[in-house]
Amino acid sequence: MNITVQKFGGTSVADTERIRNVARRVCESRSRGENVVVVISALGDTTDRLVKLAYEITPSPREREMDMLLATGEQVSVALLSMAIHELGYEAISFTGAQVGIVTDGAHTKAKILDVKVGRILDELEKGNIVIVAGFQGVTLDDQITTLGRGGSDTTAVALAAALGAEVCEIYTDVDGVYTADPRLVPEARKLSHLSYEEMLEMAATGAKVLQLRSVEFARNYGVVIHVRSSFSREEGTWISEGDERMEKAIISGVTHETEEAKVTVFNVPDRPGVAARLFQALAAENINVDMIIQNVSADQRTDISFTVGLQDLSKAAEISERVAEELGAAGTVVDEGIAKVSLVGAGMRTHPGVAADMFSALAESGINIEMISTSTIKISCVIRAEDALKAVRAIHAKFGLDKGVVMRA
Ligand code: ADP
Ligand code: ASP
Ligand code: MG
């Protein structure tokens, strides 16, 4: 069976007119004989509003209840889209994640998909239905509703594409592809026609919110090609697949930034084996993803350890750090929310020396101080002051001439 998986994000279904637009696009594919599975997000800023409501009730909502709340957003949109499709004279049926069998682990608010049962979807496609699945949500083996972390509908879509054997997963959004930087902040940014999984993974991991990181991991693991494109135009978007000979060989793919992180520093910890392990084990036990880590040069057998975490995990991370700091006899813990991380991603870094030096000089020329640095083979990230983020992204983008054209590898 030839199956097309199409995902439409929140802005693409922000109001009833846009829902009708999505319905028309989906029906066009159906009229070409495709078997269409649609994944959609909650309407517009629904998820943000639900989060805000929860925090009006309590500063520390339980994560299970958060999932019960947030999963409602997508249930609204699937039903409305199904109705809009019926209005156009096509058959469609909507499902929650639990109904179709998107099985996840029990890590509420950032659950991981363990299994996707496709039987029910295939039955409905067989009957001629367009199948609409609520993004961003799943169910545990003991029937708890879970959500997949912000932006999780992308992951629902790619996981379904993988499970259904669809060759391409189409991600429809409010920009027409993946750009060399967030096009809303850097108007000169250019659309990339192709990216390898590896490049897109680094971009997503460093703040290019156009795709959730997990969705790219899924795509790479199962060989699903992703096509990121606009809900509002017919233009070809950005293709994400395994790198091959025909692909653009850009030295640099793009500049990304992340402002939703904070830095935690534990001061004056004893510099002996097992200290870092103790701290980071305690964080991992609570499912907290730590991003960058630095340990300062020690003096008098004492040292400082700093790390960055997502803002959503900050209060938990700070609490744990304080507890461990006390146990270790450290001087204390300080939290700094005023940071941003800017990153430069490009597969050509492996073979082109001097990329890091150019990035640091772009920051220096703009008078921006670097507080932390981390690298991978194809990425350089710097922590800077949050208020410098935009200036930094623009300066690095210009330094590498990304506005003028993509610099190709030989
Ligand atoms: P959706 O609601 O469709 O899931 P998102 O808001 O999650 O959409 O993702 C699309 C947004 O990602 C764009 O509006 C854009 O501002 C942002 N974005 C950040 N970095 C990039 C990038 N490098 N290329 C394209 N879009 C980006
Ligand atoms: N509605 C969820 C969110 O806003 C999931 C998504 O849009 O992908 O994060
Ligand atoms: Mg998104």
Side-chain angles (χ1 to χ4, degrees), residues 166-314:
E167 263 167 43
V168 179
C169 181
E170 297 188 305
I171 303 280
Y172 289 87
T173 182
D174 58 356
V175 284
D176 59 4
V178 182
Y179 279 69
T180 51
D182 187 339
R184 291 183 200 290
L185 303 181
V186 185
E188 313 80 52
R190 294 175 63 260
K191 185 166 85 184
L192 296 156
S193 59
H194 285 96
L195 277 168
S196 65
Y197 291 128
E198 184 189 38
E199 290 161 328
M200 190 65 227
L201 274 174
E202 289 286 16
M203 289 192 61
T206 54
K209 300 218 161 54
V210 59
L211 284 176
Q212 196 196 33
L213 176 59
R214 293 272 309 153
S215 72
V216 190
E217 287 172 351
F218 243 102
R220 182 189 55 182
N221 293 346
Y222 294 93
V224 176
V225 174
I226 299 180
H227 185 191
V228 179
R229 55 190 309 193
S230 169
S231 297
F232 310 109
S233 85
R234 307 269 145 190
E235 253 184 73
E236 180 111 345
T238 301
W239 293 87
I240 297 150
S241 62
E242 203 62 73
D244 75 31
E245 286 314 303
R246 286 157 302 167
M247 277 173 63
E248 269 182 287
K249 292 264 191 277
I251 293 176
I252 302 297
S253 307
V255 185
T256 55
H257 69 287
E258 177 64 79
T259 48
E260 302 282 295
E261 283 185 11
K263 180 167 77 173
V264 179
T265 302
V266 184
F267 285 104
N268 216 14
V269 291
D271 190 12
R272 58 173 152 76
V275 166
R278 174 80 195 78
L279 174 62
F280 293 104
Q281 267 162 5
L283 292 163
E286 289 293 324
N287 244 321
I288 294 172
N289 283 321
V290 171
D291 183 13
M292 287 189 187
I293 301 175
I294 53 169
Q295 178 171 324
N296 287 351
V297 182
S298 74
D300 307 326
Q301 259 101 63
R302 312 287 288 187
T303 183
D304 302 336
I305 299 178
S306 297
F307 63 90
T308 62
V309 282
L311 285 183
Q312 77 283 0
D313 287 331
L314 179 60

Side-chain angles (χ1 to χ4, degrees), residues 7 41-42 47 74 136 150-154:
K7 178 256 169 177
S41 300
T47 310
E74 271 69 10
F136 174 58
R150 298 306 303 268
S153 300
D154 299 328

Side-chain angles (χ1 to χ4, degrees), residues 10 45 62 117 205 265 290 293 315 328 396:
D45 62 356
R62 292 193 192 169
K117 300 196 183 344
T265 302
V290 171
I293 301 175
S315 57
L328 293 171
I396 298 165

